[in-house]
Amino acid sequence: MPRELCNEKLDSKFAAFNTSDKEKFSLESSFNQETTLNEETKLVIVGTITPPNTKYFYCSYYNFIYGYIDEALKLSGSENSLKKLKYGLSKVDNHRIRIELLSSTEIKSRVDKIKCILKTNKIAFLDTMDKVIRKRNSPYDKDILYYSVDYARLGKLKKIKNVTVIANSKLASALCKEAGVNFTYLAQRGGRKEEWVNLISEALK
């Protein structure tokens, strides 16, 4: 299990790493400053922290969440499809597929449009972790060595009436529980698309 530290100690820990360790591990921050969370929010999807080489929450090519939201909002195939808008907001380079990041101007335009659609539909994303030290370029929770928790924003979830919170990983669930946030745990994979779409639709009524 990774170890929790406050932001100051986490920064100091990484600063003390030697050159070899800094080549193996990276210090990364969440996108929480760009969340659409507000007092009108009806649905919050919570994870640990956004993977590297992505430009907004859940924009990884292999992440299913935008597709689930598209289904619930009936956006699939439209110009406002979140799954379509996220293409090029994460870098992929492996033996099966290669996707380069869009230009900085186009990234900003796409992210702004995604945030507008989310806010209009009273949806927000949030990372439980504010900062992490993890294996460089790894998207996996198991490769996180140290982390800090965004207790301030998690605390806001407890003040929003009738909000539905979905935690999409076991570690995010554990941190929500520790922060006193009511949530439903629902993994992204394992043939659970129908559960996701139904829960999103119900939360947004």
Side-chain angles (χ1 to χ4, degrees):
M1 286 289 291
R3 180 182 170 192
E4 182 182 350
L5 299 173
C6 67
N7 277 341
E8 292 76 12
K9 288 185 177 180
L10 192 145
D11 290 341
S12 296
K13 175 71 71 173
F14 187 72
F17 276 17
N18 59 37
T19 302
S20 177
D21 285 339
K22 286 183 177 179
E23 290 175 352
K24 298 175 185 176
F25 301 97
S26 58
L27 174 63
E28 298 168 21
S29 299
S30 74
F31 283 108
N32 282 354
Q33 291 185 345
E34 295 190 59
T35 182
T36 55
L37 182 69
N38 60 54
E39 63 278 359
E40 302 285 321
T41 302
K42 289 185 175 182
L43 172 68
V44 185
I45 299 174
V46 177
T48 49
I49 194 163
T50 302
N53 301 314
T54 59
K55 296 301 180 181
Y56 195 60
F57 299 95
Y58 304 119
C59 282
S60 167
Y61 179 79
Y62 298 102
N63 194 290
F64 296 161
I65 288 175
Y66 281 32
Y68 297 153
I69 296 173
D70 278 351
E71 289 280 337
L73 298 179
K74 297 180 172 51
L75 295 175
S76 300
S78 75
E79 63 177 14
N80 289 326
S81 163
L82 295 173
K83 187 176 179 179
K84 181 179 177 181
L85 287 169
K86 79 170 186 174
Y87 192 89
L89 297 181
S90 67
K91 184 177 181 178
V92 185
D93 190 359
N94 56 45
H95 66 281
R96 290 180 295 177
I97 189 168
R98 182 175 183 179
I99 301 173
E100 293 293 334
L101 289 171
L102 297 168
S103 69
S104 57
T105 301
E106 185 61 21
I107 286 171
K108 185 180 185 308
S109 175
R110 293 276 187 100
V111 170
D112 285 347
K113 190 164 187 178
I114 288 169
K115 289 166 68 175
C116 181
I117 293 168
L118 293 173
K119 188 173 182 180
T120 298
N121 288 283
K122 301 182 179 181
I123 300 170
F125 299 141
L126 196 67
D127 288 335
T128 51
M129 297 179 179
D130 190 32
K131 289 184 178 182
V132 299
I133 296 174
R134 71 175 163 201
K135 186 176 179 181
R136 189 171 291 278
N137 294 323
S138 172
Y140 304 115
D141 288 352
K142 66 182 180 63
D143 290 326
I144 296 172
L145 297 182
Y146 303 97
Y147 65 92
S148 62
V149 177
D150 195 339
Y151 287 110
R153 287 188 176 87
L154 286 176
K156 290 181 180 179
L157 298 182
K158 295 186 285 185
K159 299 177 182 179
I160 302 174
K161 293 181 179 180
N162 302 317
V163 68
T164 296
V165 178
I166 303 176
N168 63 50
S169 76
K170 290 182 178 179
L171 184 50
S173 296
L175 294 175
C176 282
K177 186 175 181 180
E178 182 180 311
V181 174
N182 292 323
F183 66 93
T184 297
Y185 169 59
L186 194 56
Q188 288 185 58
R189 301 176 189 275
R192 306 187 76 173
K193 176 181 177 180
E194 186 175 350
E195 290 179 71
W196 269 93
V197 174
N198 288 341
L199 186 53
I200 293 168
S201 298
E202 186 66 27
L204 299 179
K205 284 183 179 178

